[in-house]
């Protein structure tokens, strides 16, 4: 008897659980994806490496070239006092210098091409408005009756009862829409200047030109419904077809001119490529010039003019005027970013994060030191200024600035999507709708942002989905 009573209760419980689970699943399926929007904009990217180290008494610093070559100039002698950034020695670098000049010339050429492309696009946008006005008001409007106070389009009475009424109504509606568009377009063009985004104005022009082209197509649809036997058709149809054809040709020319002039986008990519090549050439040239990362005294000069020196051989030894230095171990994953002479900000546990001391990277060991199974490289930093508050043995929190890029396109790194090794971002195309767009990434900043070298423009809206999605 008890089994009979319990069985229905069990079945009902199972049914309730299944229904609730089904409702939850359906609710999740119908739920629209939730994401945050980040507006693409230009900014500065700072790449940093952060480590901890210990304060210890300062030692001498051995300075080396990144690669070997012939010594062409020696600017210091033993006993000379030198300042941070002073050139000490130089390798033969005519090839590297020539490469910098060539890269600068190429960048200038690409910039000239970009300026010309932007000028052409600007002219094409302005010319497209003139062509639109001529096509609509001097050609198509010959087939309309207008009220001078309140603009109202009504197909010319010559064709009032000779064609398809629904197409005629559509033509009148499109003409009213175009009139509003032309007025708004004119107001927008009045604000066009040298700092305006030509992409926005080009898009606006193509939208208005497209509306006019749609109108000419509807005219042709209407003409095909007109009774070709009627006297009205004989008197007007041929002339009207010519007007529409002429207007359509004028609009197509304007659209083609804008599309052709929009090579600005590809030219901007060439600019970025040329800038990258210049930075690379400048970096190679800088490696032929040995500069002092610190203020101090020359203790040794281990080369003579004309001598061939090998990479990583100590060329000059500097004794720091600073009483103390910082020693840290930088992991293999970060050491490639760090260069001798990089600036660093130091905070000491004894004084908190609000007290900042300046330092520079002075020396990097070439041999790795294994710490807890991780290859690290011993790195020394020298304080820029002496300060009595700094005491040997203190723990130092080190933030080394390894690279900075200014006025570049940046987005949050968490917006990056990796698909089969390629990088994409989700662009919002309309409300609650996105599409993936391939991008080329550059420098990753320490603030959570990343540089976008190619694929995005200022004003784009990038979607950031939760990690779970």
């Amino acid at each position: 008897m008890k089994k009979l009573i319990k069985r229905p209760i069990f079945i009902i419980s199972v049914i309730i659980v299944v229904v609730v689970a089904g409702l939850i699943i359906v609710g999740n399926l119908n739920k629209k994806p939730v994401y945050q929007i980040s507006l693409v904009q230009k900014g500065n990217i700072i790449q940093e490496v952060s480590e901890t180290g210990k304060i210890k008494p300062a030692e001498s610093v051995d300075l080396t070239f990144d690669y070997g070559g012939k010594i062409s100039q020696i600017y210091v002698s033993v006993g000379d006092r030198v300042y941070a950034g002073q050139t000490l020695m130089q390798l033969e670098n005519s090839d590297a210098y020539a490469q910098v000049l060539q890269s600068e010339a190429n960048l200038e050429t690409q910039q000239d091409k970009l300026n010309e492309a932007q000028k052409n696009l600007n002219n094409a946008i302005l010319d497209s408005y003139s062509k639109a006005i001529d096509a609509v008001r001097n050609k198509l409007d010959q087939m309309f009756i207008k009220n001078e106070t309140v603009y109202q389009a009504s197909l010319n009475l010559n064709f009032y009862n000779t064609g398809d009424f629904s197409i005629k109504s559509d033509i009148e509606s499109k003409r009213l829409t175009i009139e509003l568009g032309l007025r708004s377009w004119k107001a927008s063009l009045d604000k066009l200047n040298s700092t305006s985004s030509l992409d926005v104005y080009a898009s606006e022009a193509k939208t208005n030109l497209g509306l006019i082209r749609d109108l000419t197509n509807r005219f042709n649809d209407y003409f095909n419904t007109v009774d070709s036997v009627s006297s009205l058709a004989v008197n007007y149809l041929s002339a009207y077809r010519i007007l529409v054809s002429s207007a359509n040709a004028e609009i197509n020319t304007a659209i083609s001119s804008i599309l052709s002039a929009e090579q600005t986008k590809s030219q901007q990519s060439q600019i970025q490529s040329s800038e990258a090549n210049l930075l690379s050439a400048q970096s190679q040239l800088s490696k032929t010039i040995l500069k002092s990362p610190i203020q101090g005294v020359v203790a040794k000069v281990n080369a003579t003019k004309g001598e061939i020196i090998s990479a990583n051989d100590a060329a000059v030894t500097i004794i720091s005027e600073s009483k103390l230095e910082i020693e840290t171990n930088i992991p293999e994953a970060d050491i490639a970013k760090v260069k001798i002479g990089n600036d660093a900000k130091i905070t000491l546990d004894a004084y908190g994060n609000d007290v900042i001391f300046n330092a520079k990277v002075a020396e990097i060991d070439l041999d790795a030191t294994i710490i807890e199974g991780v290859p690290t490289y011993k790195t020394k930093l020298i304080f820029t200024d002496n300060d009595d508050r700094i005491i040997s043995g203190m723990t130092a929190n080190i933030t080394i600035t390894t690279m900075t890029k200014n006025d570049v396109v940046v987005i949050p790194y968490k917006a990056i999507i990796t698909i089969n090794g390629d990088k994409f971002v989700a662009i919002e195309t309309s409300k609650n709708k996105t599409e993936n767009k391939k991008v080329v990434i550059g420098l990753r900043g320490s603030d959570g942002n990343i540089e976008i070298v190619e694929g995005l423009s200022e004003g784009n809206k990038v979607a950031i989905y939760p990690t779970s999605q």
Side-chain angles (χ1 to χ4, degrees), residues 429-462:
T429 54
S430 59
K431 188 174 183 180
N432 293 325
K433 289 186 179 180
T434 64
E435 65 178 26
N436 287 348
K437 187 171 184 182
K438 189 174 181 180
V439 296
V440 177
I441 60 175
L443 187 66
R444 181 174 177 178
S446 303
D447 59 353
N449 288 332
I450 190 166
E451 174 194 9
I452 299 299
V453 177
E454 186 176 334
L456 295 178
S457 301
E458 283 187 275
N460 289 152
K461 294 180 178 180
V462 175

Side-chain angles (χ1 to χ4, degrees), residues 41 96 98 145 151 179 258 307 322 360 420 440:
Q41 56 189 348
I145 297 173
Y151 191 97
E179 182 61 28
I258 291 176
E307 178 185 347
S322 173
K360 284 183 176 290
N420 297 326
V440 177

Side-chain angles (χ1 to χ4, degrees), residues 35 49 54 124 185 193 195 278 288 299 327 347 363 374 411 432 465:
Y35 55 80
V49 171
K54 285 290 184 182
W185 190 8
N193 56 51
T195 63
L278 177 57
T288 68
E327 187 175 283
T347 61
E363 187 175 337
V374 178
I411 64 170
N432 293 325
Y465 285 91

Side-chain angles (χ1 to χ4, degrees), residues 121-134:
L121 181 56
N122 186 87
N123 291 339
I125 291 170
L126 294 175
D127 184 61
S128 68
Y129 176 76
S130 299
K131 283 184 167 59
I133 291 297
D134 182 64

Side-chain angles (χ1 to χ4, degrees), residues 50-231:
S50 297
E51 289 295 335
T52 58
K54 285 290 184 182
I55 306 297
K56 56 176 289 186
E59 300 174 356
S60 61
V61 179
D62 291 330
L63 303 180
T64 64
F65 287 101
D66 286 351
Y67 51 77
K70 180 186 289 187
I71 303 294
S72 64
Q73 297 291 337
I74 298 175
Y75 299 103
V76 293
S77 302
V78 174
D80 287 351
R81 296 174 64 86
V82 295
Y83 56 86
Q86 180 176 336
T87 299
L88 309 176
M89 193 177 290
Q90 182 174 307
L91 298 178
E92 171 58 47
N93 58 11
S94 56
D95 290 344
Y97 185 65
Q99 186 61 47
V100 170
L101 293 179
Q102 182 178 343
S103 298
E104 287 176 340
N106 183 59
L107 176 60
E108 186 176 350
T109 299
Q110 297 301 332
Q111 186 64 56
D112 288 341
K113 289 182 179 179
L114 175 62
N115 293 339
E116 184 65 23
Q118 290 176 326
K119 179 181 177 181
N120 291 339
L121 181 56
N122 186 87
N123 291 339
I125 291 170
L126 294 175
D127 184 61
S128 68
Y129 176 76
S130 299
K131 283 184 167 59
I133 291 297
D134 182 64
V136 172
R137 294 180 178 164
N138 296 335
K139 294 181 174 67
L140 299 182
D141 275 1
Q142 292 188 43
M143 294 171 283
F144 287 90
I145 297 173
K146 297 180 292 183
N147 184 307
E148 293 183 0
T149 55
V150 179
Y151 191 97
Q152 294 178 335
S154 177
L155 197 63
N156 194 308
L157 292 178
N158 293 320
F159 276 175
Y160 193 78
N161 294 314
T162 57
D164 186 280
F165 182 79
S166 63
I167 298 178
K168 183 182 79 69
S169 297
D170 188 34
I171 288 173
E172 294 172 354
S173 175
K174 288 182 181 298
R175 178 62 186 90
L176 284 169
T177 300
I178 287 170
E179 182 61 28
L180 295 175
L182 289 174
R183 294 176 184 179
S184 175
W185 190 8
K186 177 62 168 64
S188 176
L189 288 176
D190 287 341
K191 300 175 183 178
L192 177 61
N193 56 51
S194 59
T195 63
S196 300
S197 172
L198 292 181
D199 286 346
V200 173
Y201 281 88
S203 177
E204 181 182 40
K206 288 185 289 186
T207 297
N208 284 290
L209 293 171
L211 292 173
I212 299 171
R213 186 163 60 182
D214 288 344
L215 177 60
T216 62
N217 291 335
R218 290 303 279 162
F219 262 117
N220 287 322
D221 293 339
Y222 183 74
F223 293 157
N224 292 333
T225 68
V226 174
D227 185 1
S228 59
V229 179
S230 71
S231 59

Side-chain angles (χ1 to χ4, degrees), residues 278-299:
L278 177 57
L279 286 174
S280 176
Q282 290 172 334
S283 175
Q284 292 302 312
L285 178 62
S286 70
K287 292 177 181 179
T288 68
I289 301 172
L290 194 64
K291 295 185 177 183
S292 176
I294 60 172
Q295 182 172 311
V297 177
V298 177

Side-chain angles (χ1 to χ4, degrees), residues 259-323:
L259 293 175
S260 176
E262 279 187 317
Q263 60 179 305
T264 302
K265 292 181 181 178
S266 62
Q267 192 57 40
Q268 286 174 334
S269 298
Q270 293 295 325
I271 289 286
Q272 292 169 338
S273 176
S274 297
E275 287 174 339
N277 289 337
L278 177 57
L279 286 174
S280 176
Q282 290 172 334
S283 175
Q284 292 302 312
L285 178 62
S286 70
K287 292 177 181 179
T288 68
I289 301 172
L290 194 64
K291 295 185 177 183
S292 176
I294 60 172
Q295 182 172 311
V297 177
V298 177
K300 293 180 184 178
V301 177
N302 302 317
T304 58
K305 186 175 180 178
E307 178 185 347
I308 302 296
I309 191 169
S310 300
N312 303 317
D313 282 352
V316 179
T317 301
I318 304 293
I319 297 177
S320 170
E321 288 188 344
S322 173
K323 298 176 183 178

